[in-house]
Amino acid sequence: MRRCKAEVERTRQRLLDAAEQVFSDRGYAVARLEDIADVAGLTRGSIYWHYDGKPELLEAVIDRAWFPWDQLPAEQTEAQPLPGIPQMASVLGQGIQQTLTEPHLRRSASILLQGHELRHVSERVQARLQGMQKRIRRYVALVIEQAGAGRLAFGERDARARAVGVFMFGALSEALLLGLPGEQYPIGREVERFILALLLPGMEGG
Amino acid sequence: MRRCKAEVERTRQRLLDAAEQVFSDRGYAVARLEDIADVAGLTRGSIYWHYDGKPELLEAVIDRAWFPWDQLPAEQTEAQPLPGIPQMASVLGQGIQQTLTEPHLRRSASILLQGHELRHVSERVQARLQGMQKRIRRYVALVIEQAGAGRLAFGERDARARAVGVFMFGALSEALLLGLPGEQYPIGREVERFILALLLPGMEGG
Amino acid sequence: MRRCKAEVERTRQRLLDAAEQVFSDRGYAVARLEDIADVAGLTRGSIYWHYDGKPELLEAVIDRAWFPWDQLPAEQTEAQPLPGIPQMASVLGQGIQQTLTEPHLRRSASILLQGHELRHVSERVQARLQGMQKRIRRYVALVIEQAGAGRLAFGERDARARAVGVFMFGALSEALLLGLPGEQYPIGREVERFILALLLPGMEGG
Amino acid sequence: MRRCKAEVERTRQRLLDAAEQVFSDRGYAVARLEDIADVAGLTRGSIYWHYDGKPELLEAVIDRAWFPWDQLPAEQTEAQPLPGIPQMASVLGQGIQQTLTEPHLRRSASILLQGHELRHVSERVQARLQGMQKRIRRYVALVIEQAGAGRLAFGERDARARAVGVFMFGALSEALLLGLPGEQYPIGREVERFILALLLPGMEGG
DNA sequence: GATGAATGAGTCTTCATTCAT
DNA sequence: GATGAATGAAGACTCATTCAT
């Protein structure tokens, strides 16, 4: 019965897909390993060959999920020059849109936002959320800095970067909690517009 | 032991307080009725005298919770004239701040934001969130309308009202999910500033 | 609030009626005191003023129930001469018919036949059944004795009396277990006919 | 621990045996799954691997139970010629005796006769009883028909068949409800004698 | 006499987890 | 690698019973 490594890997991915789906649909606490196994076409018992238990399965799901903003540069580099504010707004807006539209991303986001009750399961959830927030803020701050260098009062730059992060968080949370379908509503466009509305006035007017 | 009506009412409130706390601390699914009973100083069984079960207890908690924005006027009336944008920004900012600071409000908010998994328990959760969002948007739209009547492009007013709602949602979600303590961070002030930055430019400049 | 004795007695009867009904409908073990209280128009708590608990309520119901054959003479007396076999057959048949038709009797019988599981609740149930059986047998034996004195082999008389008892038991059990309505089927007449068929041949032919 | 198929089947039988015993001893409503598990040498939880719950366990017990009269021919066939009345009486009498003596049969019968309260659990109980009654009656009617063809008034044949059924029902019920031990009392012999007394006179005398 | 709030023991049921095969 | 039987702990819910009013 020994299968090649690729085969095993495929099974693990099927398992993660299933877990992702069930965790996001029913919520981690209510999700049953049997449901996950069913979706994956396996049995409860076999989950334990691949993962140590339910919490570890959750962590694996979380660790596998990569969001558009996870690749945002944290620093100005020669290889990857920073965009201007309009382009950044577009990138972030599209990130939101994609996250809400692409099933895997949407499910992963839904799991991460499942509330601080997951704290008791894995502190990695909160760490992941914090990391995402920090990354977005840092990126926005960098772009703002470059766009309007020197013209912003001390602290103002960070406040605006934070505002962008909060707004994105809100767009995501709202859509997921209220079940707004990503395909129909141009949430990404809204995000883009309001980043522009928020950042451009203070920049251009300088 | 039968007590006078007031005593019974106090017991129910104690029960709701306890449920609020335990539901928000551990999450609804993980919360044990025994914990709630313990916190309320009662026994598991007596919960069933007052409520039909765990879901009904959740609904009672949700129905009891009133947030600052639940009282926002949905229409312009003579008795209650609409404020200007700065005052509105202040009101909404303080609402966020109060919600994150006052324990009861914070817990209630935490429960409502516990993710769409609560859908399977009570559809009232989502209805409540939607209602809150609508109320805030309507209010903001009214104030914008009054402040800059006629000067906004069609649809622009609602878009901005929506943006305010999304931002507030984000501020709340972020603080609750990441466990930011309301007392230390001036989140309300940030909300206020964001609203001003978003709404004033388009108004005054008109 | 003090009511006269008659009033109290009426309440107790209402309670016993309710208990009789609920015990026979749902079965003793499944019957809830709340159901009984509801039917009686009282509350759970007040049952305890009249009876010590559920088992005692059952006993009270059993003790109140009187079946037609409970009055059968256990001995030949001058005041109450024994009937002939045909008249006895008629009496017993009518007893069965009445028990299956009259609601109170039917319910009581249903409770008594609820199986030996009631042993664990009150040994009075089995004692009652045994008593009924003995009484019927003794009576039948007396009547047989008188009708065909001397002509029956030793032991034969008791065997036939026992057979009559068993047949009546069967008619009752069958009707109650299978839910045959007393009003529509002439079960009593059947009992009568087969007592005749069983007893007359051996008597007359002698 | 997974064992071979035969082992699993043995476990199921052990479970059914245990359920049979506990259901008949304490009564279905009062029987605890824990007791059943204990008797079977398993744990409460494992019952749910094999059956969906308590009611389904009851049904499985009922469906497994086969009484002597379940094999009685429902029709005259060449392969299986009908017996005469004396032989039939002997067969039925022995059936009763065996049912009261053999532990499995006695327990199964005890469960079926546990009263119509089981209606609320599974309508299969009543259906089973009715089926048994019908089968016995049909068989007796066939034998009577063959023994005294043409000499019985219309309807008389069925009435006597019914009487036999009722008597058997009574013998069974009485023994079970009053706890008469099958080994000591010749109840089967009594049934046989009753049947003869009831059927032979009308046949031979014709 | 009656009520209804409160108790606490009892039981079903679920489900993560283990492990022989 | 995978299966499915079995475990055991945990939790929701029921209900007889108590008791202050």
Side-chain angles (χ1 to χ4, degrees), chain B residues 75-91:
Chain B
E75 299 204 0
Q76 164 90 285
T77 63
E78 292 200 4
Q80 201 174 12
L82 290 173
I85 286 180
Q87 195 185 341
M88 176 194 75
S90 166
V91 163

Side-chain angles (χ1 to χ4, degrees), chain C residues 44-79:
Chain C
R44 268 209 307 287
S46 67
I47 293 180
Y48 286 85
W49 201 92
H50 296 285
Y51 299 97
D52 281 344
K54 204 181 174 188
E56 289 75 16
L57 190 52
L58 174 68
E59 296 199 333
V61 168
I62 289 171
D63 290 344
R64 188 185 66 160
W66 284 100
F67 296 96
W69 40 77
D70 284 324
Q71 328 159 5
L72 294 178
E75 300 204 359
Q76 165 89 284
T77 64
E78 293 200 3

Side-chain angles (χ1 to χ4, degrees), chain D residues 1-2 8 11 43-46 49-50:
Chain D
M1 325 310 167
R2 190 186 177 197
V8 170
T11 301
T43 57
R44 243 184 356 266
S46 66
W49 178 258
H50 295 285

Side-chain angles (χ1 to χ4, degrees), chain C residues 18-19 22 26 30-42 44 47:
Chain C
V22 176
R26 309 217 207 304
V30 182
R32 302 181 307 158
L33 287 192
E34 183 164 23
D35 292 336
I36 296 174
D38 282 355
V39 172
L42 294 172
R44 268 209 307 287
I47 293 180

Side-chain angles (χ1 to χ4, degrees), chain C residues 112-188:
Chain C
L112 282 178
L113 293 184
Q114 227 155 65
H116 63 161
E117 53 168 306
L118 289 190
R119 256 187 328 208
H120 304 290
V121 182
S122 162
E123 65 285 340
R124 212 168 298 188
V125 174
Q126 251 185 54
R128 194 79 165 76
L129 281 172
Q130 272 173 339
M132 278 166 43
Q133 268 292 31
K134 271 193 193 152
R135 184 139 213 151
I136 289 176
R137 285 179 183 168
R138 173 146 192 80
Y139 172 70
V140 176
L142 280 176
V143 172
I144 292 176
E145 179 89 354
Q146 179 198 252
R151 268 170 300 169
L152 283 176
F154 183 72
E156 182 62 20
R157 187 200 60 178
D158 287 356
R160 299 205 173 183
R162 209 153 47 230
V164 170
V166 168
F167 190 82
M168 289 176 67
F169 207 102
L172 216 53
S173 299
E174 190 197 47
L176 292 173
L177 281 177
L178 300 185
L180 308 181
E183 298 82 9
Q184 294 168 29
Y185 297 100
I187 300 178

Side-chain angles (χ1 to χ4, degrees), chain A residues 57 66 85 89 99 159 172 182 200:
Chain A
L57 190 52
W66 284 102
I85 286 180
T99 302
L172 216 53
L200 280 191

